[in-house]
Amino acid sequence: MTAWLDLMKKEFHLGLPAFIFSLIALIGFFAISILFGHSIDLMWEVLAIGAFVAVALHVFYLAYFLLYSLGVERKRMHLWLHNPLPIESILLAKLVSSLIYMLITLITSAIVLWQAYINSAVSIHLNDWLTTVILSVIALLLAVLLLGCVYLFFWTIFITLSRTYNDFFSFVLTLFFFLVAVSLIHMIGYLSFLTDWGVINSGSVISGFELNISNGNYHFEIETLSTLFYMGHFVRDLVLSALLFVGSCWILDRKVEV
């Protein structure tokens, strides 16, 4: 356990530049939203929209973080994979550290969103949205994990191919395998009855908004639509993430020579 915690410290140190960059980008995004909102006298409303977009964009955070972290590891692959810990512990440390960094920026974005909302002219009955918010957060976190594991899996394929071919051809082959996998998943989508179970009617979600300006007066109108969440979708994403992680471990352990 001590060895794994030491590895976690190394991962935090390794990923610090990517985290600082994402934090600076987040602050810059909020600053632009504030300046633009202030120019049209709708600072809190525009900031709320910007913070909502920032929260949604976190779905790509883990993939972005792994893009940087694994890129650094490739330069010293022999040192990374010669760690005495099993490969699943090595990859798990990378995933956990990335998720912790992501939670910091995600919570920051959520706090800004909440502060902007309570200071804005937008009025929503929060009790009607509680279930939707909770389920949306769960769906977001599972999507983050799934996209991260997808990137990790195809990165290991790329690394394996690059041992035989040059980087460009390895990238083309990896992209081809990715497109084939997407096509297969699309075909399997016709068997949606396998995952469309455990229906949860969460009420409404925001589908859009309309801003009307008349004689200096501003009026917001939020468009909503009813939505359904499926427990089967949550289980599907979790199982796929686990399978991709296990597959990544197997490829690195058995196919990548250092």
Side-chain angles (χ1 to χ4, degrees):
M1 188 64 179
T2 302
W4 189 78
L5 291 177
D6 289 338
L7 181 60
M8 280 288 295
K9 293 178 182 178
K10 170 256 180 185
E11 292 295 343
F12 279 122
H13 178 74
L14 177 67
L16 186 59
F19 168 69
I20 292 176
F21 177 80
S22 64
L23 196 59
I24 292 174
L26 187 65
I27 294 172
F29 186 66
F30 289 152
I32 293 173
S33 299
I34 291 172
L35 291 174
F36 177 71
H38 185 71
S39 68
I40 60 174
D41 198 26
L42 287 170
M43 185 186 75
W44 292 113
E45 288 77 8
V46 173
L47 181 58
I49 295 172
F52 179 81
V53 172
V55 169
L57 287 176
H58 274 78
V59 70
F60 302 107
Y61 194 96
L62 186 56
Y64 146 75
F65 209 94
L66 291 175
L67 173 65
Y68 170 82
S69 184
L70 292 173
V72 174
E73 297 291 11
R74 191 187 178 195
K75 299 175 183 177
R76 50 188 185 190
M77 184 74 71
H78 62 292
L79 296 175
W80 183 47
L81 294 184
H82 277 163
N83 191 296
L85 291 173
I87 191 64
E88 56 269 20
S89 296
I90 297 174
L91 290 182
L92 186 61
K94 193 170 291 294
L95 286 178
V96 171
S97 62
S98 302
L99 288 172
I100 291 175
Y101 272 139
M102 184 208 70
L103 286 176
I104 295 174
T105 57
L106 179 61
I107 292 173
T108 301
S109 300
I111 291 174
V112 172
L113 174 60
W114 174 250
Q115 290 298 317
Y117 163 73
I118 62 178
N119 286 283
S120 70
V122 179
S123 179
I124 298 175
H125 297 292
L126 294 180
N127 290 335
D128 298 336
W129 291 76
L130 183 59
T131 302
T132 298
V133 169
I134 294 174
L135 293 175
S136 296
V137 169
I138 294 174
L140 174 66
L141 293 177
L142 287 175
V144 168
L145 183 62
L146 179 58
L147 286 179
C149 288
V150 166
Y151 177 80
L152 177 63
F153 179 75
F154 284 98
W155 179 84
T156 58
I157 291 178
F158 169 76
I159 289 298
T160 303
L161 292 172
S162 66
R163 300 290 169 175
T164 305
Y165 310 104
N166 60 55
D167 283 358
F168 176 76
F169 190 60
S170 299
F171 174 78
V172 172
L173 283 177
T174 303
L175 181 61
F176 172 75
F177 292 144
F178 174 74
L179 294 176
V180 170
V182 170
S183 299
L184 291 175
I185 291 174
H186 180 71
M187 293 173 59
I188 296 175
Y190 293 111
L191 303 176
S192 58
F193 64 89
L194 294 175
T195 57
D196 290 354
W197 51 267
V199 180
I200 304 175
N201 191 338
S202 66
S204 300
V205 294
I206 296 176
S207 61
F209 62 90
E210 183 179 349
L211 172 62
N212 296 317
I213 304 176
S214 178
N215 298 324
N217 295 320
Y218 302 96
H219 174 69
F220 276 99
E221 184 173 338
I222 297 176
E223 300 173 1
T224 63
L225 52 82
S226 60
T227 186
L228 297 176
F229 287 90
Y230 296 92
M231 287 298 298
H233 291 183
F234 295 159
V235 173
R236 174 200 62 195
D237 292 349
L238 191 60
V239 169
L240 282 176
S241 298
L243 291 175
L244 289 169
F245 180 78
V246 171
S248 301
C249 293
W250 186 86
I251 292 173
L252 280 180
D253 193 36
R254 303 294 180 88
K255 300 299 181 179
V256 178
E257 298 179 358
V258 293

